[in-house]
Amino acid sequence: MKKCKECNREYEDPQTVGDFFGICDECYKEEYKKIEYNKYIMPLLAENHLSTIEQMMKVTEEQAEFIGAVAKFEAESGTNEEKEHIIEEFFDMIQASLGLLDKIGLINLLEEGRIKHMAKLIERGWEFKKMI
């Protein structure tokens, strides 16, 4: 049995999204909307003049650049500059993907999808190292 940090109730099922935060599912359903449990790390860009096809190509381009940066890092010495380049390309890939979701009108499903994704990972037995 575990005790919820929010309501002090005891709960049994440790394999839930709420349990990752140390709270029961009932509290998680209400509390996840608070900034403590839902920290935004990426902006959604205001103006995107690319077509859907162009935005899909942008996602593919950024993904290739990210994979290329990782491959170079693995093949070579792994300098600080290469580490910074990998992180830059990672965020470019995420930014382009967010732009595509926005372009096709699905950006408002992102939070619901994130929660479902976390639940799926838990159901499949994955353990979380930390939330970022």
Side-chain angles (χ1 to χ4, degrees), residues 89-112:
E89 295 301 341
F90 169 79
F91 279 106
D92 286 349
M93 181 178 63
I94 299 302
Q95 194 73 62
S97 297
L98 287 172
L100 181 57
L101 287 178
D102 190 39
K103 178 67 71 179
I104 63 174
L106 299 180
I107 201 72
N108 61 335
L109 300 176
L110 201 56
E111 177 61 13
E112 179 184 335

Side-chain angles (χ1 to χ4, degrees), residues 42-90:
M42 290 294 295
L44 182 60
L45 302 179
E47 294 188 33
N48 183 348
H49 302 292
L50 299 177
S51 70
T52 300
I53 297 291
E54 290 170 327
Q55 190 66 39
M56 289 189 304
M57 291 170 55
K58 186 70 173 168
V59 170
T60 302
E61 171 193 332
E62 296 300 346
Q63 183 182 39
E65 290 175 3
F66 172 66
I67 297 299
V70 171
K72 182 177 180 184
F73 176 80
E74 290 288 310
E76 297 179 6
S77 60
T79 66
N80 283 340
E81 185 176 298
E82 289 170 343
K83 290 176 187 177
E84 290 174 8
H85 185 66
I86 289 170
I87 300 302
E88 176 186 343
E89 295 301 341
F90 169 79

Side-chain angles (χ1 to χ4, degrees), residues 119-132:
K120 176 181 73 175
L121 294 174
I122 290 168
E123 286 174 13
R124 292 182 179 177
W126 288 98
E127 293 185 20
F128 301 164
K129 187 186 296 187
K130 67 178 183 175
M131 293 295 286
I132 56 171

